[in-house]
Amino acid sequence: MPHTLAIVGGGASGLCAAVFAAQSGGFSEIILLERGPRVGRKLLATGNGRCNLTNRHFSRGNYHGADPAFTEPAFSAFGLEETLAFFESLGILFHVEPDGRVYPRSLQAASVLDALRLEADRLGVTTRCGCEVTALRRRRDGFSLSLAGGEEIAADAVLIAAGGPASPKLGGTDAGSRLLAALGHKTGTLLPSIVQLKTDTAPIKPLAGIKFEGTATLLDGGRPLRSEAGEILFTEYGLSGPPILQLSCTATHLLEERGSRPEIALDLFPEYDRKALSSLLYRRVYARPEAELSHFLLGLVHRRLGETAIKAAGIAPLSRRADSLSRQELAALTALLKGWTLAVTGTTGLANAQATAGGVLTKDFDPETLESRLVPGLYACGEVLDIDGDCGGFNLQWAWSSAMLAVSAMLERG
């Protein structure tokens, strides 16, 4: 059984691993090494500061990477119930939303971080912040970790939980993949995930800051790939809001890996089918034939959104009367309101992303243990691996499950 465990990275997966390992009592020493000034900085930002711990409806379909099936052993051994039991053991109770998102009952990410940090301290975990690991070497009797400043730390087993480069202001880094690369592991392209999308802005330039409840559908070559509903935000660079963040991972892969030019189709009236919306618009013409087109969609959408949509449908000038609309113009407006298509030109990058898509290739790790196939005694978990999840608690579930699986495997390996 390993005597000393060194965990590189004090984010969600690293903290979980440290506490889970300490609770097991199977290690003589656990050292948590965090390069930043404090642990859990990214965790504080999750769920808009509320910490979306997990999602009751998570499945393999919520995960991406070269091999999403790689997640199955971790989720089978340490799934939803095990995760909730772990956090209950720390004193955390839960608030569950209708869509399955699970938050701490306090609705404060700080509660989760404090619970993990205090339990690690109580159980004797040695936490060292401002402690960057610059090199990792395999020795005959374990590992040697070199720290910035020249110090060397010896460990019997090492867990890389250093995350990815998304949100560098909150501590995101590619340090974990670089340490693993030095030991022979390869890393795929690191891309932003759960991130705002840049689009053609000419048609929506007047709409920056305006929100609406609707549906966004990602198209590739005109073929719908996935739809998400919720609050969508127009920005000066394109689109944001939960549905856009949810679609961004697939859009990123299309843009960066396949060279595709995807589109986003916006449905401003998801509660109406096209025929029903057309009837609604005709009724408005007959009800107020003298109304100027600038007021035609008043009460249905934001005034500026209504005016911009009418222009985007090729209808002008806005000073015209409603009863001047032709059948063709009403059909064009209906079509636009049900499928306003904008070309996706990029993302706002890793600096603004909530998660990293891509990572260290999973083919060189055993999915049953998360131990390296190249370096015995070396493990990895969480975002550093080529697994990323959808928005909604799925990335944190992978962080918890993979951390607990890796620690459990170390204890069994002895």
Side-chain angles (χ1 to χ4, degrees):
M1 181 173 293
H3 299 292
T4 301
L5 167 62
I7 301 171
V8 181
S13 58
L15 282 164
C16 177
V19 171
F20 192 69
Q23 288 177 337
S24 74
F27 300 88
S28 61
E29 185 178 16
I30 300 165
I31 307 171
L32 181 63
L33 303 168
E34 167 55 42
R35 65 190 289 272
R38 56 188 183 278
V39 296
R41 286 187 294 165
K42 285 178 73 172
L43 186 60
L44 287 175
T46 59
N48 289 322
R50 299 193 302 164
C51 192
N52 190 179
L53 281 165
T54 183
N55 194 302
R56 285 192 170 274
H57 307 311
F58 81 89
S59 68
R60 190 212 297 182
N62 297 115
Y63 294 89
H64 314 278
D67 181 19
F70 183 84
T71 62
E72 290 183 356
F75 292 151
S76 177
F78 299 98
L80 179 68
E81 297 309 316
E82 290 80 7
T83 299
L84 297 181
F86 171 75
F87 281 102
E88 284 179 344
S89 76
L90 306 183
I92 299 291
L93 298 181
F94 311 105
H95 165 77
V96 183
E97 298 200 340
D99 63 359
R101 297 183 190 220
V102 180
Y103 297 89
R105 190 178 182 280
S106 65
L107 297 179
Q108 290 186 316
S111 298
V112 177
L113 176 56
D114 286 345
L116 288 165
R117 182 178 54 79
L118 291 171
E119 183 72 351
D121 289 346
R122 185 183 73 84
L123 294 174
V125 174
T126 300
T127 300
R128 296 185 58 177
C129 294
C131 194
E132 182 176 5
V133 179
T134 58
L136 173 62
R137 288 177 290 276
R138 181 77 167 111
R139 304 297 190 195
R140 189 165 67 177
D141 58 347
F143 294 88
S144 175
L145 296 89
S146 300
L147 308 183
E151 184 182 354
E152 297 281 329
I153 291 178
D156 299 292
V158 172
L159 175 62
I160 303 295
S167 299
K169 289 183 179 179
L170 296 177
T173 175
D174 65 351
S177 57
R178 286 189 279 109
L179 289 172
L180 289 167
L183 293 171
H185 283 278
K186 295 181 179 179
T187 299
T189 305
L190 299 173
L191 301 171
S193 182
I194 312 183
V195 66
Q196 304 89 348
L197 294 179
K198 294 181 178 180
T199 70
D200 177 13
T201 56
I204 59 171
K205 193 172 182 180
L207 302 180
I210 291 176
K211 303 175 182 178
F212 73 96
E213 289 286 332
T215 300
T217 300
L218 182 66
L219 308 175
D220 182 26
R223 179 173 61 94
L225 299 182
R226 179 175 177 180
S227 295
E228 295 291 337
E231 187 178 77
I232 298 167
L233 171 67
F234 291 102
T235 71
E236 66 276 7
Y237 51 79
L239 298 169
S240 187
I244 302 302
L245 300 181
Q246 199 73 284
L247 296 174
S248 65
C249 175
T250 306
T252 297
H253 284 292
L254 290 172
L255 286 163
E256 302 293 339
E257 295 184 343
R258 300 187 196 174
S260 298
R261 284 296 173 259
E263 298 173 308
I264 294 287
L266 301 176
D267 185 348
L268 279 66
F269 289 86
E271 69 272 32
Y272 292 91
D273 62 23
R274 189 167 293 201
K275 183 177 179 181
L277 181 58
S278 178
S279 296
L280 172 64
L281 297 182
Y282 270 99
R283 290 197 301 272
R284 290 178 80 82
V285 170
Y286 291 122
R288 296 189 62 195
E290 78 289 349
E292 288 188 1
L293 293 185
S294 59
H295 301 147
F296 184 61
L297 297 178
L298 188 68
L300 298 181
V301 294
H302 189 286
R303 177 186 58 81
R304 213 167 348 128
L305 177 54
E307 292 174 352
T308 306
I310 290 170
K311 289 180 181 178
I315 302 169
L318 293 179
S319 58
R320 287 168 49 188
R321 286 166 56 105
D323 60 4
S324 72
L325 287 167
S326 67
R327 282 183 180 274
Q328 291 79 11
E329 287 175 325
L330 282 167
L333 181 57
T334 301
L336 183 127
L337 294 174
K338 289 295 294 177
W340 193 349
T341 303
L342 300 169
V344 178
T345 60
T347 75
T348 56
L350 282 164
N352 298 291
Q354 295 180 27
T356 305
V360 178
L361 302 185
T362 54
K363 67 182 181 65
D364 291 326
F365 287 84
D366 183 345
E368 299 290 338
T369 63
L370 300 185
E371 184 176 16
S372 168
R373 299 185 193 276
L374 309 180
V375 185
L378 176 65
Y379 298 76
C381 66
E383 192 178 347
V384 73
L385 292 168
D386 181 19
I387 294 292
D388 62 285
D390 291 335
C391 182
F394 302 104
N395 283 295
L396 279 182
Q397 181 61 64
W398 170 242
W400 316 132
S401 295
S402 60
M404 289 188 274
L405 177 65
V407 170
S408 177
M410 290 179 204
L411 294 169
E412 290 183 11
R413 184 175 187 268

